[in-house]
Amino acid sequence: METTSTEYSNQWSNTEVNVALCGISGSGKSQFINTILGLRADDPGAAPVDSFGSQSITGQYRHPEQPGLIFWDLPGIGTGKFGRDNYLETVNFDTYDFYLIFGRGRFYEEDAWFVKQVNLRRKRFFYVRTHIDQDIASKKRGGDKTSVEESCLDTVRNDCETQIQHAGIKAAHTKVYLISTRLQDKDKWDFPKLNSDMLQLLPRIKKETVAVAISVPYPSAIRVKSQYLLDNVWRAVFLSGILAAVPVPLLPLVVEYFLTLRQIRTYTNSLTQMELSWRRLGLTSSWKFQVAGVGRLLSEFLKLNLYFMVSPYCIHVTVFGCALSAFLSYRMTGFILHRALKIIEDEMLKMFK
Ligand SMILES: Nc1nc2c(ncn2[C@@H]2O[C@H](COP(=O)(O)OP(=O)(O)OP(=O)(O)O)[C@@H](O)[C@H]2O)c(=O)[nH]1
Ligand SMILES: [Mg+2]
C-alpha cells in the first residue's frame, strides 16, 4: 500500500495534465466539475451549470486532491454558438493532453465526432456517460425493480462501447464510465472508479503521449526502423520472383509495378506516420521530403521500366525463360526496394540537419 501511494505520487511529481471536458451541450460537464470540487451550482467558484450552450468561455479548474490535474470546461457543442465548423479552433482542441468526452441519452453523431477528433490527434480519452440516475429511474418505473439497474447499466455500457469501436477505437482503449454528476451520487456507479483512474492513469498516459511525440522522429529511431524494414525486404522480393516465373506476357511487369508501389507506400507510411510529432517539434518541412523523395523514386522507376523493356519475353515460354524472368525480377525488385528505402531514410534524416 505504502509503495503504491509512493509510486502514485512519484508519477505526479512535476506533471501537469490538461484534461479537456468536451461533449454535447447539457451532458453535465460543468456539473461534473462542481461535484469533483464538492460544490453546488450556486456556491462561489462553481462552474456555471445550465448555460444551455451559451457558455463561451473555457473555464479552468484544478482537482482538489491533485492540483497537477487541470480540467478545462469547454463549451458544449450542438446548440448555442458552437457548431462543428468553428469549434476545434475556438477551443484550441489540439492543445490538451487528455479528453473526457461527455454524453447523455443515446450515442449521438457528435459523440462519434469527438471520438474521431481525439483519435486523429493520437490522444486518448475516457467516455463519460452521464444521467445514468435518470435512465435507471425511468426503467424502474416501467418494470421489474430488482434486476432493472444491472440490465440498464449493461445495455448502456454495451451500446457506448460498440459505438466507440465503430468510430475506430480498439477495444483495449475503449473506456466507458456510467455516472450521475449530481453531488449526492458522487459515490455511486462508476464515479469513484473514474476519479481514481484519472488520478492513477493520466500521468502515465501523458508520459506515453510525450514519448511518442519526441522519441520517434530522432535520427537514431529512424535508422532503427529503416533497418527493420530492410531486414524484411526479402519477403516482397521473394514473392515478386515467384510471380514473375508465371509465363503470361507482361505479367512480371504488372506484378513488379504494383508490388513495388505497395511496398514503397508501406515504407513511407511507417517512416512518416509521425508527421504530427514533427510538427510539434517545429519540423514543418515535410513537404520538402515529399517533393524530393518522390522525384528520386520516379527516376528509379524509369530505370525499372527500362529493364522490363529489354527483358527476355521472347523466350519466356521456355523453362529457361521462366527461370530467367524470376531471377531478374528477384534481383531488380530487391535493388529497387533497397534503393527506395535508402532514399526515404535519407530524405527524412535531412530534415534534422
Ligand atoms: N439527473 C441528472 N442531471 C444532470 C446530470 N448531469 C447534468 N445534469 C443536469 O443537466 C443540466 C446541464 O448540465 P451542465 O453541467 O450545465 O451541462 P454542460 O455539459 O456543462 O452543458 P453546456 O455548458 O451547455 O455545454 C443541469 O441541469 C444539470 O443539473 C446527471 O448525471 N444526472
Ligand atoms: Mg457547461
Side-chain angles (χ1 to χ4, degrees):
M1 197 68 190
E2 191 81 28
T3 330
T4 320
S5 65
T6 316
E7 270 173 20
Y8 164 72
S9 53
N10 284 346
Q11 285 196 42
W12 276 99
S13 56
N14 303 323
T15 306
E16 277 205 338
V17 182
N18 290 288
V19 179
L21 276 64
C22 52
I24 51 171
S25 184
S27 52
K29 302 177 288 295
S30 306
Q31 184 158 284
F32 171 79
I33 286 181
N34 291 341
T35 297
I36 285 271
L37 297 175
L39 299 174
R40 300 202 173 271
D42 46 8
D43 286 340
V49 167
D50 267 338
S51 53
F52 299 114
S54 64
Q55 179 191 327
S56 54
I57 305 157
T58 303
Q60 183 195 352
Y61 307 83
R62 287 182 185 265
H63 194 286
E65 293 159 50
Q66 194 44 263
L69 177 54
I70 306 167
F71 293 117
W72 296 86
D73 183 15
L74 305 190
I77 198 169
T79 58
K81 300 181 192 170
F82 293 101
R84 291 188 208 169
D85 301 343
N86 54 354
Y87 187 81
L88 299 173
E89 301 78 49
T90 314
V91 303
N92 295 322
F93 202 73
D94 291 343
T95 56
Y96 304 98
D97 302 309
F98 192 82
Y99 299 78
L100 294 180
I101 302 176
F102 280 71
R104 62 172 294 188
R106 68 178 176 83
F107 194 91
Y108 289 93
E109 222 183 287
E110 281 77 9
D111 301 83
W113 182 75
F114 274 116
V115 168
K116 285 180 187 155
Q117 292 305 325
V118 174
N119 196 30
L120 270 176
R121 287 160 179 78
R122 293 167 203 248
K123 304 267 182 80
R124 303 265 291 271
F125 67 91
F126 294 160
Y127 184 75
V128 184
R129 169 58 162 77
T130 61
H131 290 79
I132 204 70
D133 54 312
Q134 289 184 347
D135 291 76
I136 292 170
S138 78
K139 284 266 162 33
K140 274 188 178 163
R141 277 195 291 275
D144 167 17
K145 305 226 175 348
T146 48
S147 63
V148 139
E149 180 162 332
E150 224 161 281
S151 83
C152 173
L153 291 172
D154 281 349
T155 312
V156 176
R157 194 184 302 281
N158 287 341
D159 178 51
C160 295
E161 288 176 354
T162 311
Q163 302 280 359
I164 290 171
Q165 282 151 33
H166 279 166
I169 309 300
K170 288 185 196 147
H173 289 169
T174 304
K175 290 210 177 292
V176 173
Y177 298 85
L178 311 182
I179 66 164
S180 155
T181 66
R182 297 184 309 174
L183 193 54
Q184 67 265 38
D185 294 336
K186 199 176 178 177
D187 297 321
K188 290 191 186 161
W189 302 295
D190 292 338
F191 203 111
K193 182 165 172 24
L194 170 58
N195 194 28
S196 76
D197 281 0
M198 284 192 307
L199 293 173
Q200 287 176 31
L201 299 179
L202 293 199
R204 226 180 298 157
I205 290 177
K206 165 140 187 179
K207 275 180 202 145
E208 269 173 32
T209 317
V210 172
V212 167
I214 63 175
S215 70
V216 178
Y218 285 129
S220 55
I222 291 170
R223 287 195 192 98
V224 169
K225 185 106 193 211
S226 147
Q227 189 54 50
Y228 169 80
L229 294 170
L230 265 179
D231 292 344
N232 285 284
V233 158
W234 69 269
R235 292 169 204 273
V237 172
F238 188 70
L239 183 65
S240 104
I242 301 261
L243 292 172
V246 180
V248 174
L250 290 180
L251 182 70
L253 177 61
V254 177
V255 165
E256 185 84 24
Y257 212 85
F258 284 103
L259 199 90
T260 313
L261 269 184
R262 198 178 136 261
Q263 279 305 110
I264 289 176
R265 197 172 311 133
T266 309
Y267 299 155
T268 317
N269 286 346
S270 21
L271 287 169
T272 60
Q273 67 192 182
M274 305 307 163
E275 209 185 312
L276 188 73
S277 323
W278 296 356
R279 267 192 253 131
R280 277 201 211 128
L281 289 174
L283 299 170
T284 49
S285 54
S286 72
W287 64 271
K288 285 188 190 158
F289 160 71
Q290 305 281 351
V291 173
V294 167
R296 288 177 65 185
L297 285 173
L298 262 178
S299 77
E300 296 297 332
F301 260 100
L302 288 177
K303 283 187 217 154
L304 172 77
N305 285 344
L306 212 66
Y307 141 75
F308 272 108
M309 272 187 250
V310 295
S311 87
Y313 287 117
C314 44
I315 52 167
H316 198 248
V317 283
T318 66
V319 173
F320 172 72
C322 290
L324 184 64
S325 176
F327 174 73
L328 286 174
S329 179
Y330 177 84
R331 291 303 300 266
M332 281 308 289
T333 313
F335 173 75
I336 292 283
L337 290 183
H338 275 96
R339 289 285 306 136
L341 246 176
K342 276 285 158 215
I343 291 171
I344 297 169
E345 185 190 329
D346 276 2
E347 294 299 329
M348 286 193 61
L349 291 175
K350 272 187 204 161
M351 293 175 58
F352 291 90
K353 288 177 185 156

